[in-house]
């Protein structure tokens, strides 16, 4: 299985990563990406180590592979998959959202139903199966861009002032198609191996040229990755920003400057109906988002642990109203975990024999995530008080003769040294207040769609038969009072 060193080495290719008006050389060695690239390398090393239980024999390749890519066909498979995803999530405490298991889940869902991609005279199902086998065999890191750039949300791409602002088919060319335009928002794309490009937002029949689905290696000519401001490079140390420096995946606008895509890398071509069905008719959306929720379990537990620790250090943990806040946070963490376990244990077998986590419970929490994650962050903020601000500018105040004595005297707590206290509160600030923290709030609110879109998933996947039966049964149990006949 691929190791971390092999992954890091593979990043030194001809990819076009643009940052701050310049092209980045080797991303693995650039200060903006170095920390996160090392985090992904650690993930690869953990997966390759048999003692971590992440290896299985893939039925598709007959070889050892990473369980995060498994197509679940039983409850046991779902449990094994969850454990493997959790092992990876623990490395970043859930602060890395687009590790290879995320899009890996979507690709497993596509590959579980390749016939979905065979339509009319186009037989792209074989491309889907071949690419999935490649991902499994080579333990590849695929990221995705499946959202059009914002530009104008009052109409879809065909109604915009210029053609091909959203990525679309420019022309067919010998052996493939040429695409032009852009798509948002490639999280971790700069440090991945391949990019999956499609559109999950509903399109209209006039948007046919934008109804595509394809994959590209990152070093493809004409593929440009425009990264937002990085949060890792400007920080004084890991001690000061322990999350920003290691887990900033970076997000990027992707530009396709007349990029050639060979037919064998195409899954959907100019098909508005299929580009949507690929996500929801196959198990892709459910498997990809189950990964996201398993990751969130790790994050919620971690946030709860930091909150509890802060109250212990500040000596507030015995105060009943503080315990109530911790209880509030504990409820939120338990709900995420409970919903994942509920969706797993009440899985549904689809027509291809794929064990799909029950969408009622999966989307049940996701529908509220845009409210509940900010609430968790607000609770941690409230419990931390000004402790996250009453902090030295950097670790240097703790290590320099001029300032160390005052830091040690005034920044300690009972049974906690100044160093440990500062370390804890700097971590809390990286969860609630740093630029990295702000980006995470946005991430949890939007990563799978705007809140109104995600509530739509919850609406469509609840399964109302039982609920309606219950309401109707009750309503039919009583009637208008009998009118007393007048004598
Ligand atoms: C940190 C981060 C990382 C991301 N990573 C990825 C990634 O790796 N890959 C990827 O493909 N995408 C990624 N995304 C993009 C994400 O999928 C989108 O942000 C999400 O789908 C919402 O789309 P939008 O941002 O265009 O919001 P919009 O659709 O423009 O909506 C913004 C707001 O406008 C209002 N609104 C708009 N339309 C309507 C409507 N019809 N009805 C009611 N209200 C409306 C709502 O208030 C909504 O919240 C990421 C986003 C973030 C924030």
């Amino acid at each position: 299985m691929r190791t971390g060193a092999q992954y890091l080495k593979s990043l030194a290719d001809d990819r076009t990563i643009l940052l701050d008006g310049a092209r980045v050389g080797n991303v693995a060695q650039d200060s903006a990406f170095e920390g996160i690239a090392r985090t992904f390398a650690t993930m690869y090393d953990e997966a390759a180590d048999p003692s971590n239980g992440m290896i299985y024999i893939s039925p598709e390749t007959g070889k050892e592979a990473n369980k995060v890519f498994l197509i679940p066909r039983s409850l046991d498979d779902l449990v094994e998959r969850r454990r493997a995803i959790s092992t990876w999530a623990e490395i970043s405490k859930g602060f890395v959202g687009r590790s290879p298991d995320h899009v890996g889940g979507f690709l497993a869902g596509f590959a579980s139903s390749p016939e979905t991609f065979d339509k009319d005279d186009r037989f792209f199902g074989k491309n889907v199966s071949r690419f999935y086998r490649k991902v499994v065999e080579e333990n590849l890191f695929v990221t995705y861009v499946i959202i059009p750039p914002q530009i104008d949300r009052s109409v879809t791409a065909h109604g915009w002032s210029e053609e091909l602002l959203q990525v679309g088919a420019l022309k067919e060319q010998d052996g493939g198609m040429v695409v032009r335009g852009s798509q948002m928002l490639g999280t971790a794309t700069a440090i991945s191996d391949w990019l999956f490009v499609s559109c999950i937002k509903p399109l209209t029949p006039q948007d046919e040229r934008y109804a595509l689905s394809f994959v590209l290696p990152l070093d493809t000519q004409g593929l440009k990755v425009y990264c937002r401001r990085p949060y890792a490079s400007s920080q004084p140390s890991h001690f000061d920003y322990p999350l920003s420096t290691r887990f900033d995946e970076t997000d990027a606008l992707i530009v396709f400057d007349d990029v050639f895509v060979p037919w064998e890398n195409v899954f959907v071509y100019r098909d508005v109906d299929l580009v949507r069905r690929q996500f929801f008719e196959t198990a892709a959306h459910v498997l990809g988002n189950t990964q996201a929720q398993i990751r969130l379990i790790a994050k919620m537990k971690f946030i709860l642990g930091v909150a509890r620790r802060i109250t212990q250090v500040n000596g507030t943990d015995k105060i009943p109203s503080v315990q109530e806040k911790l209880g509030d946070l504990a409820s939120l963490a338990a709900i995420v975990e409970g919903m994942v376990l509920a969706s797993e244990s009440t899985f549904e077998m689809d027509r291809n024999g794929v064990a799909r986590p029950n969408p009622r419970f999966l989307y049940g929490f996701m529908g509220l995530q845009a409210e509940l994650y900010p609430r968790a962050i607000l609770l941690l903020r409230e419990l931390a008080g000004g402790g996250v601000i009453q902090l030295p500018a950097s670790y240097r105040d703790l290590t320099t003769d001029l300032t160390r004595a005052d830091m040690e005297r005034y920044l300690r707590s009972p049974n906690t040294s100044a160093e440990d206290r500062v370390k804890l509160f700097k971590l809390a600030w990286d969860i609630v207040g740093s630029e990295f923290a702000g980006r995470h709030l946005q991430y949890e609110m939007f990563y799978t769609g705007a809140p109104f879109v995600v509530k739509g998933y919850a609406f469509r996947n609840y399964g109302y038969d039982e609920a309606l039966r219950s309401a109707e049964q009750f309503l039919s149990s009583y009637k208008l009072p009998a009118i007393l006949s007048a004598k």
Side-chain angles (χ1 to χ4, degrees):
M1 291 243 300
R2 189 187 204 191
T3 63
Q6 287 166 336
Y7 158 70
L8 290 174
K9 200 166 161 213
S10 74
L11 294 174
D13 58 14
D14 205 23
R15 62 190 60 204
T16 307
I17 311 300
L18 296 142
L19 180 63
D20 229 1
R23 186 168 172 184
V24 176
N26 183 348
V27 278
Q29 288 165 7
D30 186 281
S31 61
F33 308 98
E34 197 189 357
I36 182 67
R38 260 192 279 116
T39 297
F40 286 126
T42 305
M43 288 181 175
Y44 277 116
D45 284 338
E46 288 247 339
D49 178 348
S51 70
N52 290 318
M54 288 183 69
I55 300 173
Y56 77 120
I57 301 297
S58 159
E60 288 78 19
T61 65
K63 295 181 195 148
E64 284 192 344
N66 186 340
K67 277 183 191 166
V68 301
F69 298 131
L70 183 151
I71 299 175
R73 300 200 177 273
S74 64
L75 180 59
D76 281 352
D77 281 356
L78 283 170
V79 172
E80 288 299 304
R81 179 176 183 264
R82 169 168 53 80
R83 289 191 178 139
I85 292 169
S86 302
T87 302
W88 264 9
E90 266 309 304
I91 293 170
S92 73
K93 302 297 176 191
F95 279 88
V96 166
R98 300 294 199 229
S99 41
D101 42 346
H102 183 69
V103 179
F106 278 78
L107 295 170
F110 293 158
S112 73
S113 182
E115 70 282 0
T116 305
F117 297 83
D118 293 337
K119 204 178 146 197
D120 305 329
D121 57 343
R122 296 202 176 104
F123 297 94
F124 291 143
K126 61 181 183 311
N127 296 350
V128 171
S129 302
R130 188 189 331 101
F131 187 66
Y132 171 71
R133 277 198 306 275
K134 181 177 172 64
V135 168
V136 170
E137 211 156 61
E138 298 175 30
N139 211 350
L140 285 180
F141 186 178
V142 185
T143 52
Y144 65 15
V145 281
I146 54 174
I147 302 290
Q150 270 190 339
I151 298 181
D152 178 1
R153 288 282 184 253
S154 68
V155 277
T156 48
H158 78 275
W160 290 353
S161 59
E162 210 181 296
E163 290 190 331
L164 295 171
L165 294 175
Q166 171 175 343
V167 66
L170 175 68
K171 59 181 178 185
E172 290 185 21
Q173 196 167 294
D174 274 358
M177 63 171 172
V178 176
V179 297
R180 177 185 290 176
S182 67
Q183 203 75 326
M184 69 190 250
L185 188 60
T187 299
T189 299
I191 38 175
S192 62
D193 302 309
W194 281 68
L195 182 64
F196 170 66
V197 184
S198 192
C199 183
I200 198 171
K201 283 211 186 241
L203 296 170
T204 69
Q206 295 111 297
D207 295 307
E208 205 186 61
R209 69 190 309 187
Y210 305 102
L212 308 173
S213 188
F214 56 93
V215 286
L216 287 171
L218 251 291
D219 62 355
T220 300
Q221 207 182 353
L223 180 66
K224 299 173 175 171
V225 180
Y226 282 95
C227 299
R228 61 149 165 80
R229 213 184 76 72
Y231 312 137
S233 25
S234 52
Q235 311 303 357
S237 72
H238 287 327
F239 181 88
D240 289 286
Y241 288 88
L243 306 177
S244 306
T245 48
R246 276 178 271 203
F247 307 138
D248 179 21
E249 296 165 273
T250 76
D251 311 282
L253 171 77
I254 309 297
V255 169
F256 302 83
D257 215 350
D258 295 3
V259 172
F260 176 71
V261 187
W263 289 127
E264 62 260 29
N265 289 348
V266 177
F267 300 170
V268 179
Y269 181 61
R270 298 178 74 111
D271 191 327
V272 170
D273 163 60
L274 184 52
V275 86
R276 186 135 181 98
R277 283 200 291 116
Q278 67 177 334
F279 292 110
F280 302 104
E281 199 170 290
T282 72
H285 202 260
V286 166
L287 292 182
N289 281 293
T290 296
Q291 179 279 341
Q293 292 298 296
I294 296 169
R295 168 205 61 89
L296 188 59
I297 295 173
K299 193 176 189 179
M300 295 299 288
K301 274 187 194 161
F302 183 64
I303 290 172
L304 180 62
V306 171
R308 185 82 207 249
R309 186 79 196 109
I310 281 177
T311 61
Q312 288 168 343
V313 167
N314 273 354
T316 54
D317 59 334
K318 303 286 184 307
I319 302 170
S321 62
V322 169
Q323 290 180 349
E324 188 188 328
K325 287 188 178 56
L326 285 169
D328 210 344
L329 202 44
S331 296
L332 295 176
I335 289 169
V336 182
E337 187 172 11
M339 291 296 238
V340 168
L341 295 177
S343 68
E344 178 181 288
S345 62
T346 62
F347 72 91
E348 295 165 351
M349 203 59 100
D350 75 11
R351 63 169 195 269
N352 289 312
V354 180
R356 293 193 191 194
N358 187 334
R360 174 186 288 189
F361 303 114
L362 172 67
Y363 297 115
F365 180 80
M366 286 168 64
L368 289 179
Q369 193 161 325
E371 289 141 66
L372 299 187
Y373 184 77
R375 183 162 148 198
I377 294 301
L378 196 64
L379 284 161
L380 179 56
R381 262 181 185 271
E382 196 172 343
L383 291 168
V388 286
I389 305 295
Q390 177 212 275
L391 286 170
S394 82
Y395 71 94
R396 292 184 194 94
D397 285 344
L398 289 163
T399 55
T400 309
D401 287 346
L402 177 68
T403 50
R404 192 174 52 225
D406 279 343
M407 294 295 112
E408 283 174 356
R409 182 172 168 81
Y410 297 112
L411 287 183
R412 67 190 171 176
S413 281
N415 304 316
T416 308
S417 67
E419 179 181 333
D420 286 346
R421 197 190 141 82
V422 170
K423 191 177 188 184
L424 174 66
F425 279 83
K426 278 190 178 273
L427 168 61
W429 186 244
D430 223 4
I431 298 173
V432 302
S434 65
E435 201 167 357
F436 174 88
R439 182 263 178 202
H440 265 267
L441 194 65
Q442 207 70 3
Y443 182 78
E444 299 300 354
M445 290 177 70
F446 281 94
Y447 74 79
T448 200
F452 77 91
V453 172
V454 187
K455 282 191 203 301
Y457 297 143
F459 167 73
R460 286 190 293 281
N461 286 286
Y462 184 81
Y464 284 93
D465 289 356
E466 248 179 277
L468 280 173
R469 243 194 334 272
S470 172
E472 279 158 14
Q473 182 254 337
F474 186 78
L475 284 167
S476 65
S477 69
Y478 54 93
K479 294 194 170 111
L480 265 179
I483 299 168
L484 292 175
S485 51
K487 290 216 168 144

